[in-house]
């Protein structure tokens, strides 16, 4: 398996993997609503991720196939919180049809190395999942369950 920085030529395959993942997530989260041209808009944003200095877009290749990808960016924390800057996981997608053992770990390790090079030691992750601790509170507020945020010390 090879993990490298994404190129413009990777975007079509990455968009397909992204769309398959979002379609899967929509099955359990009715709050995920896609724009009619969601894939095109996603590719347009992904072009910016490739070019943006505060982002890193890595793709994983296995057996000449795009096996997955990860996008991470740096961001400023609110002035009253430390650390001042953190990493934020934007997207992490793996091929749902061909699982590759260790791919998720390898992508996270690549992200961690990139963030450390930026002097960032925390990765903020917000996956789509149920929230056992705060779920009751947000439900009473009328909120719909959407994501969970984790901090991973690097």
């Amino acid at each position: 398996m090879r993990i490298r920085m994404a190129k413009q030529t990777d975007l079509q395959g990455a968009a397909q993997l992204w769309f398959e993942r979002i379609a899967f997530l929509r099955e359990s989260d009715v709050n995920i609503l896609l724009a009619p041209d969601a894939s095109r808009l996603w590719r347009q944003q992904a072009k910016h991720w490739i070019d943006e200095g505060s982002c890193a877009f890595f793709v994983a290749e296995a057996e000449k196939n795009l096996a997955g990808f990860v996008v991470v960016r740096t961001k400023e924390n609110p002035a009253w919180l430390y650390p001042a800057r953190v990493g934020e996981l934007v997207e992490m997608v793996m091929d749902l049809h061909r699982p590759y053992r260790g791919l998720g770990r390898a992508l996270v390790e690549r992200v961690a190395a990139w963030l450390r090079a930026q002097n960032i030691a925390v990765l903020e992750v917000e996956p789509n999942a149920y929230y056992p601790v705060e779920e009751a509170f947000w439900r009473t507020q009328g909120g719909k369950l959407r994501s969970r945020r984790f901090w991973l010390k690097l």
Side-chain angles (χ1 to χ4, degrees), residues 49 51-56 72-75 85 114-115 118:
W49 292 329
D51 297 331
E52 192 175 318
S54 65
C55 286
V72 64
R73 69 175 150 223
T74 62
K75 71 175 192 174
R85 292 177 52 223
W114 184 81
L115 288 171
Q118 313 297 312

Side-chain angles (χ1 to χ4, degrees), residues 124-137:
E124 186 178 87
V125 180
E126 192 172 346
N128 291 318
Y130 290 102
Y131 302 91
V133 175
E134 295 180 330
E135 181 177 350
F137 170 78

Side-chain angles (χ1 to χ4, degrees), residues 28-96:
S28 61
D29 187 348
V30 298
N31 297 304
I32 296 175
L33 303 173
L34 295 176
D37 55 350
S39 284
R40 181 189 63 78
L41 292 169
W42 186 91
R43 284 191 308 275
Q44 186 177 3
Q45 178 61 52
K47 287 178 187 177
H48 293 292
W49 292 329
I50 289 173
D51 297 331
E52 192 175 318
S54 65
C55 286
F57 189 153
F58 299 103
V59 295
E61 296 174 316
E63 304 163 11
K64 298 185 181 181
N65 296 312
L66 185 63
F69 67 87
V70 64
V71 180
V72 64
R73 69 175 150 223
T74 62
K75 71 175 192 174
E76 301 298 318
N77 231 350
W80 55 89
L81 294 177
Y82 284 110
R85 292 177 52 223
V86 297
E88 178 181 41
L89 189 73
V90 177
E91 297 275 2
M92 185 165 163
V93 178
M94 292 170 270
D95 189 336
L96 298 173

Side-chain angles (χ1 to χ4, degrees), residues 97-111:
H97 305 290
R98 288 181 235 135
Y100 295 94
R101 186 173 180 87
L103 175 58
R105 168 59 83 188
L107 289 169
V108 170
E109 287 173 358
R110 186 63 186 96
V111 162

